[in-house]
């Protein structure tokens, strides 16, 4: 029996935990309240911050609390065109401007949105990465659902009353510049988590990986592996339905509608 492979150690070892000490906090929409459901709430962008380990900047938005004499600070995804001192409006009756948060049923088809909820009140799930956005494709008023095109190109149906922020997430074009040297990749992942550098299985010894060892770097067995295999053996193409190059023209969901 060899060592525990790295994929097994990732599950329980604190070495692979996310590095969160310097992070600014969770980026979410406001908690859904009566004011947002019926009208709108006004907030002001206090500052735009860099969040270590995140490609996109975040905006610190301050709202007046409706029930107590206090101010509530939220961290929003920063959209392109946001600036400090800007007023941000959240709610059903908010205007269709960049940075505002509206329910999808109040947004016309073809609008570019980001930080969309999956279920009403979950405070944002889709299109949150730098430079990403989703497009509202259509509304089905009978079913109370809306169809959106995600950054991956896939389409998804979500309830029409979920909220979304208007605009494109700031920080786009981040991946256009090449890393050029290992030191930059080191610092990039140092603030994220311990996941770099990645060593290939065939470059390891037989004790460390099922694909390791041999006089030449070769796998020596099929790289596909069943979904029910034990943890130490479950490496490679897990539960693959097919392998190899995609030949021919792929029929996408976009062609149908």
């Amino acid at each position: 029996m060899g060592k525990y492979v790295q994929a097994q150690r990732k599950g329980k070892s604190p070495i692979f935990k996310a590095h969160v000490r310097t992070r600014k906090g969770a980026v979410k929409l406001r908690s859904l309240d009566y004011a947002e459901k019926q009208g709108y709430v006004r907030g002001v962008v206090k500052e735009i911050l860099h969040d270590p380990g995140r490609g996109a900047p975040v905006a610190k938005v301050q709202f007046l609390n409706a029930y107590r004499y206090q101010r509530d600070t939220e961290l929003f995804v920063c959209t392109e065109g946001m600036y400090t001192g800007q007023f941000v409006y959240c709610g059903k009756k908010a205007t269709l401007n960049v940075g505002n948060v509206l329910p999808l049923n109040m947004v016309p088809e073809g609008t570019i949105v980001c930080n969309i909820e999956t279920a009403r009140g979950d405070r944002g799930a889709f299109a949150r990465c730098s430079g990403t956005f989703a497009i509202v494709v259509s509304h089905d008023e009978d079913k109370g659902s809306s169809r959106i095109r995600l950054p991956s190109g896939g389409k998804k149906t979500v309830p029409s009353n979920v909220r979304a922020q208007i605009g494109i997430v700031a920080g786009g074009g981040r991946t256009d510049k090449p890393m050029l040297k290992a030191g930059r990749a080191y610092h990039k992942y140092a603030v994220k988590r311990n996941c770099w550098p990645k060593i290939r299985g065939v470059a390891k010894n037989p004790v460390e990986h099922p694909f390791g060892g041999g006089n030449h770097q070769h796998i020596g067995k099929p790289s596909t592996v069943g979904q029910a295999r034990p943890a130490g053996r479950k490496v490679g193409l897990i539960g693959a339905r097919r392998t190899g190059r995609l030949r021919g023209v792929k029929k996408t969901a976009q062609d149908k509608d």
Side-chain angles (χ1 to χ4, degrees):
M1 182 64 200
K3 290 181 180 180
Y4 283 113
V5 301
Q6 191 182 20
Q8 287 173 285
R9 291 192 291 119
K10 278 193 173 181
K12 66 175 189 175
S13 168
I15 292 168
F16 298 100
K17 277 186 178 169
H19 301 163
V20 294
R21 183 178 57 84
T22 55
R23 306 252 173 117
K24 298 293 181 281
V27 171
K28 293 181 176 181
L29 301 173
R30 283 181 81 249
S31 289
L32 191 61
D33 57 4
Y34 181 82
E36 271 202 51
K37 288 176 192 170
Q38 303 301 325
Y40 67 87
V41 184
R42 189 180 82 169
V44 63
V45 179
K46 282 292 177 187
E47 59 180 324
I48 289 168
L49 307 162
H50 166 66
D51 192 12
R54 183 191 295 272
V58 296
K60 190 185 272 188
V61 185
Q62 211 168 63
F63 295 90
L64 282 175
N65 190 302
Y67 306 102
R68 288 183 197 85
Y69 180 66
Q70 65 182 47
R71 289 191 169 94
D72 297 332
T73 305
E74 304 286 349
L75 279 179
F76 276 18
V77 160
C78 193
T79 53
E80 281 185 16
M82 254 192 185
Y83 54 89
T84 50
Q86 178 186 348
F87 287 126
V88 173
Y89 297 91
C90 304
K92 182 182 168 186
K93 295 190 175 166
T95 53
L96 192 73
N97 287 339
V98 167
N100 289 359
V101 178
L102 284 83
L104 276 187
N105 51 16
M106 304 306 288
V107 170
E109 292 169 2
T111 308
I112 285 173
V113 291
C114 63
N115 201 11
I116 308 139
E117 296 180 322
T118 322
R120 192 186 192 198
D122 77 0
R123 305 178 70 183
F126 302 125
R128 295 155 53 94
C129 182
S130 58
T132 57
F133 60 90
I135 297 171
V136 180
V137 178
S138 61
H139 296 299
D140 189 338
E141 288 174 18
D142 302 332
K143 291 179 184 169
S145 63
S146 298
R147 204 149 165 74
I148 54 171
R149 182 177 295 140
L150 298 173
S152 61
K155 291 206 179 94
K156 189 165 181 70
T157 306
V158 291
S160 286
N161 58 7
V162 302
R163 296 172 296 164
Q165 203 170 334
I166 309 298
I168 302 173
V169 184
R174 175 173 52 85
T175 53
D176 296 348
K177 184 182 176 186
M179 286 278 193
L180 289 181
K181 55 184 192 174
R184 287 191 188 146
Y186 168 82
H187 289 295
K188 175 186 173 177
Y189 291 105
V191 288
K192 287 177 182 283
R193 67 203 73 80
N194 177 15
C195 63
W196 185 89
K198 275 195 169 62
I199 301 167
R200 293 165 300 131
V202 289
K204 295 180 181 178
N205 295 313
V207 287
E208 289 144 359
H209 199 276
F211 296 167
N215 281 348
H216 299 282
Q217 284 193 2
H218 69 293
I219 295 175
K221 53 174 80 73
S223 58
T224 53
V225 60
Q227 195 76 55
R229 294 305 292 273
R233 177 66 184 88
K234 204 170 171 182
V235 293
L237 303 168
I238 298 166
R241 288 201 174 90
R242 66 179 303 290
T243 61
R245 217 152 53 91
L246 288 168
R247 308 291 293 268
V249 180
K250 190 184 175 195
K251 295 277 190 293
T252 61
Q254 294 173 17
D255 300 337
K256 292 176 196 168
D257 40 51

